[in-house]
Amino acid sequence: MLAILGIAEAGSGHPGASFSAAEIMGSLYLRVMKHSPRNPEWPDRDYFVNSKAHSAPGYYATLSVAGYFPPDEMSSLRRLGSRLQGHPVRYSSYQQSQSVPGIEYSGGSEGIGLSVAVGIALASKMDRKRNHVYVLIGDGESNEGQIWEAAMAAAKFKLDNITVILDRNRIQQDGFTEEIMPMDPVRDKWAAFNWNTEEVKGHNVEEIMDTLYKTKRVKDRPSIIIANTIKGNGIKHMTNNPQWHGKAPPRKHTPVLLEELENECFIAPSIIAGEPENYEDKIRKAERGGADMIHLDIMDGKFVNNTTMGAETIKKLRRVTSLPFDAHLMIENPVELVDGFIDAQCDIITVHAETCTEEEFLAIAEKLLQNGISPGIAVNPPTDLPLWVFSHLEKIDVLIVMSVNPGFSGQQFLPETLEKMALLDGKLRKHGFKGYIEADGGIDSRRLQEVYDAGAKIMVAGNAVYGSSDIHGAIIQLKHKANVALERKLLARSTSLEIRQDWIRARRHILIPLANELGIEEELHATE
């Protein structure tokens, strides 16, 4: 969001490259790297070299979120005299007015960053320091011979303190890389240069982080992570489109673009639903179908009259997928049992307001946050959200509003919970809540639009997925309905801003398949 604000304000910049690398840079700065915004020249810091320097807006946004400079400075992007120029400038005490703290490398010319990183890594080795050097490179600059010269040098000197991440979005300045200069088999090429090679889904932060930690354990060889990404990821009409390599959106579109980024919808199949069968098989089918996360209902037979899986089962399931695990603890005394679910590597852990006090929830949330896990709080249909929750919204990433009475799958959605979701969404946003409302129970393709409109953006779908003979088709249908709900919301926003026709024109190729459901066939024809 910060990147698109800066680019639109400047009227120039590189949204495509910024968005394809967002999860990579976020994972590095917010989880993996040793660094200190208060002491950017800390001798024991890890280094980040942004060799694909045209992704500067995304890089600046990451540094800002990580605490290196105020977010409102993003509006000065590319202005004369700004510290945030089109390509980053290395920060030092001698040029404080030309750069922001945290930038280790002056980028611009393609293919040079890896050579600089090799120098830093080699110097650290010679000084017997334990710094790790991370380098972000792009598809286009991999055409440069200097990349491969640096790759040979890193292997020669056994620089196991360097990890390269290739943002493999398959687009460069003039078009698709496979048409300009094919790179495949890119993994085999790096392996032939004696590098440890890994490959990840470049927008899956769990997979990125796991692999970054893994490469730090490699000995006597440098490592490269080939991150398969999508240029322009996050804004549908920019996605995988070469024209958005270095093009700014109109400033008047900014509020609608921010609305899109804020209103992404996630489908989370609940694996206890449907016929009793192998949980591993259910997870694999959901992943193949395009699910965004896996919902795990944990019941102890005390808080609800049913018993399901426990932490040990989840621990075994963790090896099946890198999709986020959304663990919903419908149990008594969660403060005493949460350690097992942390150890099982859940990504979201939600406890019920009915089963813990304010002090107990804060103890749980603090433990989860220290382990990089998103804390959540859940309320049953008749339960009001405790007032103390509003004092701790910065510690809550998810609020589950139960839309059925908990305990058994296959129940019908309770329509009265829609008003509750909408009221809570309004109150929470007014108090600065930045997380997600999750609707759990009875969600299907017929209900999704109204639940989305009520403010829920994580949809737990049990019987709607696993009660179907076509799990893949059921997930596709839910995601389609989520897309329709989003586009309807964006059209309404563009209408309120009096830019509807201009927005439809910019979004045309996305809207055409949805035109009938959105009722905009005539408007689309008018833009031809």
Side-chain angles (χ1 to χ4, degrees):
M1 293 174 71
L2 288 173
I4 207 68
L5 278 166
I7 292 168
E9 187 67 27
S12 65
H14 294 78
S18 295
F19 289 178
S20 63
E23 289 85 357
I24 296 166
M25 290 192 281
S27 296
L28 284 167
Y29 275 92
L30 303 179
R31 285 289 185 272
V32 176
M33 284 173 53
K34 294 184 303 178
H35 65 103
S36 174
R38 293 183 178 180
N39 184 14
E41 296 181 338
W42 176 39
D44 294 328
R45 72 190 182 278
D46 291 334
Y47 291 83
F48 176 69
V49 173
N50 186 15
S51 190
K52 50 167 287 180
H54 55 280
S55 63
Y59 181 29
Y60 295 144
T62 306
L63 287 170
S64 178
V65 171
Y68 283 91
F69 67 92
D72 57 10
E73 193 172 341
M74 283 297 298
S75 62
S76 73
L77 179 68
R78 289 186 165 226
R79 287 186 184 172
L80 197 62
S82 168
R83 298 193 296 172
L84 308 179
Q85 286 304 310
H87 292 83
V89 175
R90 181 177 179 272
Y91 178 82
S92 76
S93 56
Y94 300 104
Q95 49 189 33
Q96 295 181 24
S97 62
Q98 282 80 45
S99 186
V100 291
I103 297 177
E104 308 281 3
Y105 165 72
S106 296
S109 298
E110 296 290 330
I112 297 174
L114 183 53
S115 296
V116 173
V118 166
I120 296 171
L122 185 56
S124 294
K125 282 274 190 184
M126 294 171 71
D127 292 339
R128 300 185 184 278
K129 294 169 69 175
R130 300 184 66 181
N131 319 68
H132 203 86
V133 185
Y134 297 94
V135 194
L136 181 66
I137 66 173
D139 285 303
E141 70 174 327
S142 296
N143 299 162
E144 303 285 347
Q146 187 168 342
I147 287 283
W148 302 100
E149 294 176 49
M152 285 191 290
K156 169 186 166 64
F157 294 112
K158 299 181 179 181
L159 298 181
D160 51 16
N161 59 341
I162 190 168
T163 298
V164 169
I165 305 100
L166 170 61
D167 180 4
R168 184 80 167 104
N169 60 42
R170 292 172 170 78
I171 291 176
Q172 57 193 86
Q173 181 170 331
D174 297 319
F176 292 97
T177 56
E178 299 313 292
E179 296 175 0
I180 296 168
M181 185 60 69
M183 288 182 62
D184 283 332
V186 66
R187 185 168 184 170
D188 292 344
K189 288 174 182 174
W190 284 92
F193 277 66
N194 203 28
W195 281 58
N196 170 57
T197 60
E198 307 287 345
E199 196 159 358
V200 300
K201 299 168 188 169
H203 301 298
N204 182 318
V205 293
E206 292 79 18
E207 196 171 331
I208 293 168
M209 288 189 293
D210 286 347
T211 309
L212 285 166
Y213 288 129
K214 180 180 177 182
T215 60
K216 285 194 75 171
R217 299 191 293 269
V218 172
K219 298 300 180 186
D220 297 326
R221 284 201 295 169
S223 293
I224 182 167
I225 300 171
I226 299 160
N228 293 298
T229 61
I230 300 170
K231 196 97 164 185
N233 185 60
I235 301 293
K236 286 186 170 59
H237 64 277
M238 295 184 183
T239 296
N240 202 35
N241 189 338
Q243 72 169 289
W244 290 102
H245 172 85
K247 173 183 171 182
R251 189 184 302 174
K252 60 186 175 183
H253 287 183
T254 304
V256 194
L257 298 173
L258 297 180
E259 189 103 0
E260 179 172 6
L261 292 169
E262 285 186 313
N263 285 280
E264 185 178 9
C265 185
F266 303 93
I267 306 300
S270 172
I271 62 173
I272 68 164
E275 293 296 323
E277 59 179 283
N278 186 297
Y279 285 147
E280 293 188 9
D281 188 48
K282 283 186 169 183
I283 290 171
R284 290 190 180 100
K285 287 178 178 177
E287 184 167 26
R288 286 196 296 269
D292 299 297
M293 59 182 74
I294 301 297
H295 189 78
L296 305 168
D297 289 300
I298 295 95
M299 306 180 195
D300 62 0
K302 298 173 184 177
F303 179 61
V304 294
N305 296 322
N306 197 4
T307 304
T308 58
M309 70 195 78
E312 287 304 311
T313 299
I314 296 172
K315 200 170 184 177
K316 293 174 183 175
L317 295 174
R318 183 68 278 182
R319 58 186 167 80
V320 176
T321 181
S322 63
L323 286 179
F325 274 3
D326 175 22
H328 179 189
L329 307 191
M330 290 177 269
I331 60 175
E332 292 184 354
N333 300 317
V335 70
E336 297 178 7
L337 300 170
V338 72
D339 285 349
F341 298 97
I342 293 172
D343 189 49
Q345 299 181 54
C346 297
D347 301 287
I348 304 167
I349 296 179
T350 301
V351 298
H352 268 261
E354 297 91 347
T355 66
C356 61
T357 64
E358 179 179 5
E359 291 73 21
E360 288 173 331
F361 175 77
L362 290 176
I364 291 169
E366 191 62 35
K367 191 174 286 188
L368 296 180
L369 290 167
Q370 286 174 0
N371 285 276
I373 298 169
S374 291
I377 190 88
V379 289
N380 286 339
T383 305
D384 291 328
L385 188 66
L387 292 177
W388 56 258
V389 169
F390 290 89
S391 300
H392 307 294
L393 293 178
E394 77 284 353
K395 296 182 183 298
I396 300 172
D397 288 339
V398 173
L399 167 64
I400 294 181
V401 179
M402 293 298 297
S403 44
V404 297
N405 291 306
F408 295 91
S409 63
Q411 297 181 62
Q412 293 297 308
F413 181 87
L414 297 173
E416 59 268 26
T417 59
L418 284 171
E419 183 179 0
K420 181 179 182 179
M421 286 179 203
L423 286 171
L424 283 174
D425 183 55
K427 286 182 180 179
L428 289 166
R429 302 301 171 196
K430 284 180 182 177
H431 284 80
F433 181 56
K434 299 295 185 184
Y436 292 91
I437 290 181
E438 179 172 333
D440 185 354
I443 307 298
D444 58 24
S445 59
R446 294 169 298 176
R447 283 285 181 191
L448 192 142
Q449 175 76 59
E450 54 189 350
V451 175
Y452 183 96
D453 289 343
K457 297 299 179 287
I458 300 177
M459 309 292 180
V460 178
N463 203 49
V465 172
Y466 292 113
S468 170
S469 59
D470 180 8
I471 290 172
H472 181 261
I475 295 174
I476 287 176
Q477 176 70 358
L478 287 166
K479 292 182 82 71
H480 171 76
K481 290 295 184 182
N483 282 335
V484 172
L486 171 65
E487 297 304 331
R488 188 169 280 126
K489 189 177 188 73
L490 300 184
L491 284 168
R493 182 74 165 126
S494 68
T495 302
S496 70
L497 294 168
E498 299 182 348
I499 59 167
R500 183 181 175 97
Q501 285 303 312
D502 195 58
W503 175 254
I504 289 174
R505 191 175 294 108
R507 195 81 160 180
R508 194 171 188 278
H509 67 284
I510 300 297
L511 294 172
I512 286 173
L514 311 176
N516 183 51
E517 288 173 89
L518 294 170
I520 59 169
E521 296 97 325
E522 291 187 11
E523 289 180 278
L524 274 171
H525 285 312
T527 65
E528 290 179 354

